[in-house]
């Protein structure tokens, strides 16, 4: 959607925080680009020095962006991000949460061997962080009279994709978190939703064993007989982040070429 064709800037005069940009293939990057094209000012975060240069280079193409370090497991860094965002933007209209992580061993070993530490880490980075970011955003959004929080999930939360393992459990927790946050924050006009995206080749998905096989199964069986790309996820995100989605909350929106509806 961005502002293509219609001439309408869906996110004009809005400011957002976007977490989870690693490189140009990241779903969060497609959302950042679309949001900027739709008139928003955005803050991007990077995790660790390894990604800083990448993210700074990407951000150069955006409309007056802010670029900040953020490891979502670090409460001090979360607090600093919201301080900086508040100073620069004077409040916040939306947050995009695109962070997820699981230990390699927990993605390749049989599920029954999932480690206690790996389970905690996957839950912390991939699910709890949505609560932490929502808590940080709350006072900034209240001052704007509301806001929209969006996370990214996958169908492995409700169905078994054998190699998704601990990440499937983390996504189930994430989706339940969306509903509880939506109930908690709804009276403040803050909406909380997720997009459940079809499989897309990115840095994170490269860690899922047999990922190419999953892509092929979507091409063969999804109603649209194809996979999806990051710009299609970003277009759906523009709806949920903007006032076009103002009555939608606690929703898991499937952007997966219809694969979720298939049986045999
Ligand atoms: P991506 O580009 O690798 O993005 C994942 C991001 O999470 C990376 O920027 C990563 O940084 C960040 N991250 C990991 N640990 C973090 C931490 N402690 N603090 C802050 N950030 C951290 O991959 P993506 O596929 O676009 O993933 C974005 C979201 O979409 C994830 O929630 C993913 O599960 C979800 N999703 C992806 C697909 C798919 O097929 N690609 C489908 C459905 C849903 P590092 O690189 O430094 O770890």
């Amino acid at each position: 959607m961005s502002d293509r064709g219609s001439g309408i800037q869906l996110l004009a005069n809005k400011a957002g925080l976007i977490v989870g940009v690693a490189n140009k293939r990241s779903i969060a990057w497609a959302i950042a680009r679309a949001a900027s094209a739709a008139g928003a000012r955005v803050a991007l975060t990077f995790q660790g020095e390894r990604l800083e240069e990448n993210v700074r280079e990407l951000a150069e193409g955006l409309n007056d962006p802010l670029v900040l370090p953020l490891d979502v497991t670090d409460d001090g860094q979360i607090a600093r991000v919201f301080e900086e965002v508040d100073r620069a933007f004077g409040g916040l209209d939306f947050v995009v949460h695109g962070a997820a992580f699981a230990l390699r061993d927990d993605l390749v070993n049989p599920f029954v061997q999932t480690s206690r530490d790996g389970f905690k880490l996957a839950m912390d980075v991939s699910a709890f962080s949505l609560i932490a970011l929502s808590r940080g955003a709350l006072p900034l959004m209240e001052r704007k009279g509301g806001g929209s929080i969006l996370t990214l999930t996958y169908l492995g939360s409700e169905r078994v994709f054998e190699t998704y393992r601990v990440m499937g459990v983390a996504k189930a927790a994430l989706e339940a978190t969306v509903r509880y946050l939506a109930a908690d924050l709804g009276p403040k006009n803050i909406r909380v939703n997720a997009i459940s995206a079809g499989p897309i080749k990115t840095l994170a998905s490269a860690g899922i064993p047999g990922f190419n096989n999953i892509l092929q199964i979507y091409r063969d069986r999804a109603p649209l007989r194809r996979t999806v790309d990051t710009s299609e996820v970003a277009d759906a995100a523009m709806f949920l982040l903007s006032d076009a989605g103002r009555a939608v909350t606690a929703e898991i929106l499937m952007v997966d070429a219809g694969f979720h509806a298939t049986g045999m």
Side-chain angles (χ1 to χ4, degrees), residues 2 18-19 31 48 51 56 72 110 118 146 173 176-177 180 197 220 243 245 262:
S2 59
I18 299 185
V19 175
I31 297 174
L51 292 177
R56 285 199 188 280
V72 295
T177 299
Y180 278 91
D220 292 343
D243 293 344
T262 58

Side-chain angles (χ1 to χ4, degrees), residues 19-23 25-28 47 50-51 70-73 98-101 125 152-154 164 171 197-205 211:
V19 175
V21 177
N23 57 35
R25 290 172 189 271
S26 297
I27 298 173
Q47 200 224 161
R50 179 173 63 90
L51 292 177
L70 177 62
D71 177 335
V72 295
T73 63
F101 185 77
V125 175
L152 293 159
T153 187
Y154 181 61
Y164 204 54
K171 292 301 193 193
I200 302 170
K201 269 198 179 172
T202 61
L203 208 57
S205 64
F211 188 74

Side-chain angles (χ1 to χ4, degrees), residues 98-118:
F101 185 77
L103 293 177
R104 175 86 188 143
D105 279 357
D106 292 325
L107 292 174
V108 297
N109 292 335
F111 181 69
V112 71
Q113 302 299 345
T114 303
S115 64
R116 188 183 296 271
D117 284 348

Side-chain angles (χ1 to χ4, degrees), residues 155-176:
L155 185 61
S157 61
E158 41 179 296
R159 313 248 185 103
V160 174
F161 290 75
E162 219 182 316
T163 56
Y164 204 54
R165 299 192 166 101
V166 71
M167 193 50 77
V169 178
K171 292 301 193 193
L174 178 69
E175 292 175 19

Side-chain angles (χ1 to χ4, degrees), residues 149-151 153 174-175 178-180 182 191-196 239-240 245 247-254:
I149 296 170
L150 176 67
T151 187
T153 187
L174 178 69
E175 292 175 19
V178 164
R179 291 184 283 271
Y180 278 91
R191 299 181 290 110
V192 188
N193 294 290
I195 289 177
S196 184
F239 162 65
L240 290 170
V248 181
T249 194
E251 179 68 8
I252 313 294
L253 177 63
M254 310 301 301

Side-chain angles (χ1 to χ4, degrees), residues 120-141:
K120 285 184 189 164
L121 184 60
M123 283 289 188
D124 192 4
V125 175
S126 317
F128 175 77
S129 59
L130 183 65
I131 302 175
L133 291 181
S134 299
R135 187 152 67 224
L138 177 58
L140 282 69
M141 288 184 168

